[in-house]
Amino acid sequence: MTSSTQTQVQPKLIIHGGAGSSLQSKGGLAAVRRSLYNVIEDVYSMLVSGASAREAVVRGCQLLEDDPRFNAGTGSVLQSDGQIRMSASLMDGTSGRFSGVINVSRVKNPIEMALFLQESPDRVLSDHGSLELARELQIPSYNALTDLRLKEWIEEREDKFKRTMAGVVAEPETPDLEAGRGTIGVVALDTLGHLAVGTSTGGKGFERIGRVSDSATPAGNYATKYAAVSCTGIGEDIIDECLAAKIVVRVGDGMSLQEAMWRSFTEASKNQRDLGAIALDCTGKISYGKTSEILLAAYHNGQSIGDTLEWNDGELVGID
């Protein structure tokens, strides 16, 4: 069936800006909601106009990477040696292609490198390879450091890096907006019924040099023609659960998206994991889950925009 005769479907979109332990300040909540909704409005208008799921995902990730409020791109946290190293990946559910960069430095939008690698025979590159690719593509050198992230690192260095995780959201005017699992992600269903997903992160902050997050692995970012999932939280927990791939494979094996999410998050909760995820399936079902207290996510269900910022802490999985 060609795209000219294919039945059009209602596009759907869900994004996240990380997960954490508390979101107490109303001022902080409003600011985060505004940031997420701005991205939803921009990207959803693209989908309605006929953009592909992959195009929409890249655009959404770019916008979130450019917002210093989130730990990806500009505003990324520093590793223990004071350097910023970012990771990002992209997966097209129609082609089944996964691509990404791991621990790349001095670029503004790591997701753009993941996009280029979609058409490459070598689709995941680590730090040195990513640096060479950036030079090959003539990507301008970019300093993603913000004053707040530098201040955080200096304070942690003075405390001998005893804190285990950097804040997911940079919110200096609301100090009670805490903690700590930094990633951004976008999942889109386009008018042709195609799915795509992208995830990007600055890491967990103050980590050992060379540590690899889940964001550029199928554990944290995965899509097929049946479903697509982007994860956030403690990367090691997400990898241990192989969360994104597990959920997507379960949907491909015949589970509903809600059932696959519920089973996967019930297992993660029993294993005392700290994580969250957003998901879409090919029918347009939207789902999200968390074992952490807060999931910073927003979505467009085809009629209106909603979010998870005040979602009941007692629930593992929600669906729209």
Side-chain angles (χ1 to χ4, degrees):
M1 182 179 290
T2 64
S3 60
S4 61
T5 62
Q6 186 165 346
T7 302
Q8 299 273 297
V9 303
Q10 181 70 50
K12 301 291 178 67
L13 176 68
I14 185 166
I15 68 175
H16 73 73
S21 62
S22 67
L23 182 55
Q24 299 172 353
S25 168
K26 294 301 182 183
L29 184 150
V32 172
R33 179 172 282 146
R34 183 168 58 251
S35 289
L36 293 174
Y37 280 30
N38 286 342
V39 176
I40 289 285
E41 290 169 355
D42 185 300
V43 177
Y44 194 76
S45 67
M46 289 178 58
L47 287 167
V48 171
S49 298
S52 71
R54 191 172 80 172
E55 290 170 334
V57 163
V58 171
R59 173 63 174 168
C61 286
Q62 288 170 327
L63 291 171
L64 290 164
E65 286 175 339
D66 289 346
D67 189 335
R69 190 176 304 282
F70 303 112
N71 174 22
T74 302
S76 289
V77 296
L78 280 66
Q79 293 191 353
S80 57
D81 63 346
Q83 299 299 309
I84 290 173
R85 297 179 180 90
M86 302 166 285
S87 297
S89 66
L90 175 66
M91 191 162 186
D92 187 317
T94 302
S95 67
R97 289 182 180 176
F98 181 98
S99 60
V101 290
I102 296 170
N103 287 338
V104 62
S105 300
R106 294 284 174 178
V107 298
K108 185 177 183 183
N109 295 110
I111 195 65
E112 294 177 1
M113 300 177 71
L115 175 61
F116 174 84
L117 289 168
Q118 279 278 302
E119 310 305 326
S120 170
D122 306 307
R123 293 205 301 270
V124 181
L125 299 179
S126 63
D127 47 2
H128 297 300
S130 298
L131 176 60
E132 289 302 316
L133 177 62
R135 289 172 177 166
E136 176 186 332
L137 298 178
Q138 298 183 322
I139 296 175
S141 179
Y142 179 77
N143 184 4
L145 180 65
T146 64
D147 290 342
L148 179 63
R149 294 307 192 191
L150 178 59
K151 179 182 177 182
E152 287 175 346
W153 183 82
I154 291 172
E155 290 174 351
E156 286 305 308
R157 183 181 62 178
E158 291 173 349
D159 198 32
K160 298 182 180 179
F161 300 109
K162 291 180 181 178
R163 190 164 59 156
T164 59
M165 186 75 67
V168 59
V169 174
E171 193 71 25
E173 69 273 18
T174 55
D176 56 341
L177 178 68
E178 297 175 4
R181 328 287 185 248
T183 323
I184 63 93
V186 179
V187 188
L189 175 74
D190 64 28
T191 57
L192 297 180
H194 297 160
L195 291 160
V197 60
T199 307
S200 182
T201 185
K204 63 183 180 181
F206 325 125
E207 63 263 60
R208 184 187 295 272
I209 300 167
R211 178 256 185 186
V212 175
S213 78
D214 67 286
S215 298
T217 76
N221 190 74
Y222 201 70
T224 64
K225 64 181 180 180
Y226 301 108
V229 176
S230 172
C231 299
T232 180
I234 296 180
E236 287 72 14
D237 285 358
I238 294 166
I239 291 170
D240 288 345
E241 292 294 319
C242 201
L243 186 62
K246 179 192 289 186
I247 294 166
V248 171
V249 168
R250 282 175 163 167
V251 175
D253 285 345
M255 282 189 188
S256 69
L257 179 61
Q258 186 173 21
E259 183 182 6
M261 289 281 283
W262 179 260
R263 183 172 296 186
S264 300
F265 274 88
T266 299
E267 292 167 352
S269 182
K270 289 179 180 177
N271 292 332
Q272 298 183 317
R273 312 297 193 193
D274 191 341
L275 41 74
I278 58 173
L280 278 170
D281 72 10
C282 60
T283 72
K285 287 287 190 299
I286 297 172
S287 188
Y288 39 86
K290 61 179 173 62
T291 61
S292 56
E293 293 180 28
I294 296 296
L295 176 65
L296 307 181
Y299 54 85
H300 201 303
N301 62 13
Q303 282 75 46
S304 61
I305 299 175
D307 65 63
T308 67
L309 300 184
E310 297 176 284
W311 176 33
N312 183 357
D313 288 348
E315 298 179 10
L316 285 173
V317 173
I319 195 162
D320 190 276

